[in-house]
Amino acid sequence: MSNDFVVYRYADILMMKGEALVRQGRAAEALPLFNAVRERTGLPPYIASDLTLDEIYAERGREFVWEGSRRQDMIRFGKWTAARDFKDAEADNHTELFPIPARVMTNNDKLVQNDGYTN
């Protein structure tokens, strides 16, 4: 039996769907999804021109601040390798993937280690 399970908040579902719609150029359809999340917090609603990818990235940072999803957001929005407080910019993006654990590599000789990591 495993005690690992994934929990998604409804706000995350709404924001993921809204982000997908914005990426498709359908910001007007995404507007009610983001505004439903903002209404709960008492913040003013967005208008369609507010829904840029940078604003969605910032909103996700505010909404999910201590929930452990920021790394994936940073990778998805292309900000993982950029410089930020106390971290220089990375020359490549190999850290977007984790290394394959040594015991897994030992058990399966057909695996090839992810780029940027040694065997």
Side-chain angles (χ1 to χ4, degrees), residues 15-69:
M15 292 177 84
M16 283 190 288
K17 182 176 181 179
E19 178 189 333
L21 289 169
V22 168
R23 287 179 184 270
Q24 295 173 358
R26 298 162 53 191
E29 293 177 55
L31 199 57
L33 302 172
F34 284 98
N35 285 338
V37 175
R38 288 178 67 87
E39 181 180 309
R40 175 190 50 84
T41 63
L43 293 170
Y46 281 124
I47 58 173
S49 62
D50 293 338
L51 286 180
T52 64
L53 289 179
D54 284 336
E55 180 56 30
I56 292 170
Y57 174 72
E59 183 72 16
R60 288 187 62 83
R62 291 185 294 267
E63 181 68 28
F64 307 114
V65 66
W66 296 112
E67 298 186 24
S69 60

Side-chain angles (χ1 to χ4, degrees), residues 6 10-11 22 38 43 48-49 51 68 70-71 92 96 100 109 117 119:
V6 178
Y10 185 57
V22 168
R38 288 178 67 87
L43 293 170
S49 62
L51 286 180
R70 194 61 168 171
R71 179 181 189 273
D92 64 10
E96 289 180 357
I100 300 172
D109 61 351
Y117 299 102
N119 289 331

Side-chain angles (χ1 to χ4, degrees), residues 74 79-80 82-89:
M74 292 177 87
K79 306 207 184 266
W80 178 251
R84 49 189 181 274
D85 292 343
F86 309 110
K87 180 197 164 286
D88 294 331

Side-chain angles (χ1 to χ4, degrees), residues 97-106 108 111-115 117-119:
L97 293 175
F98 289 114
I100 300 172
R103 68 177 172 74
V104 174
M105 295 290 294
T106 302
N108 186 345
L111 289 177
V112 176
Q113 186 58 269
N114 290 327
D115 290 338
Y117 299 102
T118 58
N119 289 331

